[in-house]
Amino acid sequence: MYGDDETIRRILTETGDTWAVVGLSSNRSRAAYGVAQVLQRFGKRVVPVHPKAETVHGEQGYASLADIPFDVDVVDVFVSGELAGAVADEAVAKGAKAVWFQLGVVDEAAYERVRAAGRDMVMDRCPAIEIPRLNRN
């Protein structure tokens, strides 16, 4: 398990409300699109990060984390496991307080690097599932 309930609760309730969502585009059929909507409903600012730099859910998109001209609190990663480790490293370099790898995204070495850098991290979980579950506890 890569993210105990306490870490999940801390990221969702205390870490901050600006979430960069890597892999978020205007493609409504992709999971990132719906998850970003849920995050917004729960008060998070969602910043799309995608090579197309599209505006999604009313928020300006950026081609990379480095292109975002303001701080982000959490980086939510919707890219394949092969690419996710590099995104985690970029998130740490950007100064994000936490990294969240979506369902099916696992990179144990990246998890260890992020934790060693003093950041919280969750892997193979979805905030859109965890937020409602958190509110029931």
Side-chain angles (χ1 to χ4, degrees):
M1 190 66 119
Y2 303 103
D4 58 86
D5 287 343
E6 177 57 28
T7 301
I8 290 168
R9 185 199 62 71
R10 187 170 49 250
I11 292 172
L12 292 173
T13 63
E14 298 173 16
T15 299
D17 291 332
T18 302
W19 285 53
V21 181
V22 179
L24 175 57
S25 71
S26 61
N27 183 343
R28 293 171 182 258
S29 68
R30 304 290 300 192
Y33 190 89
V35 170
Q37 283 182 310
V38 171
L39 289 169
Q40 281 187 322
R41 272 202 306 274
F42 283 91
K44 307 300 182 189
R45 178 184 183 190
V46 172
V47 181
V49 179
H50 188 278
K52 294 180 184 176
E54 300 173 294
T55 296
V56 183
H57 301 311
E59 288 284 347
Q60 167 65 48
Y62 298 90
S64 71
L65 288 173
D67 291 343
I68 300 173
F70 47 83
D71 292 339
V72 297
D73 300 308
V74 181
V75 175
D76 190 5
V77 182
F78 279 92
V79 300
S80 68
E82 301 82 53
L83 302 174
V87 175
D89 295 338
E90 291 171 28
V92 169
K94 176 73 179 161
K97 299 172 194 156
V99 178
W100 191 300
F101 281 9
Q102 282 296 322
L103 290 172
V105 181
V106 175
D107 181 329
E108 292 179 9
Y111 182 86
E112 294 302 324
R113 290 193 307 274
V114 170
R115 300 292 295 138
R119 307 313 202 280
D120 280 333
M121 184 161 179
V122 172
M123 286 197 305
D124 196 26
R125 302 287 282 270
C126 178
I129 294 169
E130 300 300 330
I131 289 172
R133 192 176 71 82
L134 192 70
N135 290 334
R136 285 196 301 269
N137 294 336

